[in-house]
Amino acid sequence: MRVRPQAGEAPRACDGGVARAFAFLGKRWNGMLLSTLADGPAGFAELTRALSGISESVLSDRLAELVRVGLVSRTVRQGPPVGVSYELTEPGKALLPVLDALGRWAHENLPTEAGATPG
């Protein structure tokens, strides 16, 4: 049963900031990449190994997006061999308490296997 707002009341809506955050962090791999970089800088190959199942093209796209919005920095190391590393920026690090809290909530409330109960 859907309740309609009374005359003069604004319809219920999600906070715009929350909607933007989930639209971005809810995109597959973005939150997991940020969480993986919480341990410090990492190269492309290390991130590929850390995120089982991500393709190199998707990883490249997601890293570029995280760099573009300022959550991750990309540093080219002069060689030999030349290398690239990725690291959380200050705005990226500011998300860590939120990601930690979300992880704790998931451990406590979401099943880890089909049919399992939280707990």
Side-chain angles (χ1 to χ4, degrees), residues 82-99:
V82 172
V84 176
S85 66
Y86 298 89
E87 183 175 10
L88 293 176
T89 61
E90 289 307 313
K93 290 175 185 175
L95 274 170
L96 294 179
V98 174
L99 294 174

Side-chain angles (χ1 to χ4, degrees), residues 20-21 23-25 27 30-31 33-34 60-74 87-93 95:
R20 283 195 333 274
F24 185 78
L25 293 174
K27 187 180 277 187
N30 279 353
L33 269 165
L34 293 169
S60 180
D61 290 347
R62 294 300 182 262
L63 286 168
E65 183 176 30
L66 291 167
V67 168
R68 184 173 37 80
V69 300
L71 298 177
V72 171
S73 64
R74 179 181 186 269
E87 183 175 10
L88 293 176
T89 61
E90 289 307 313
K93 290 175 185 175
L95 274 170

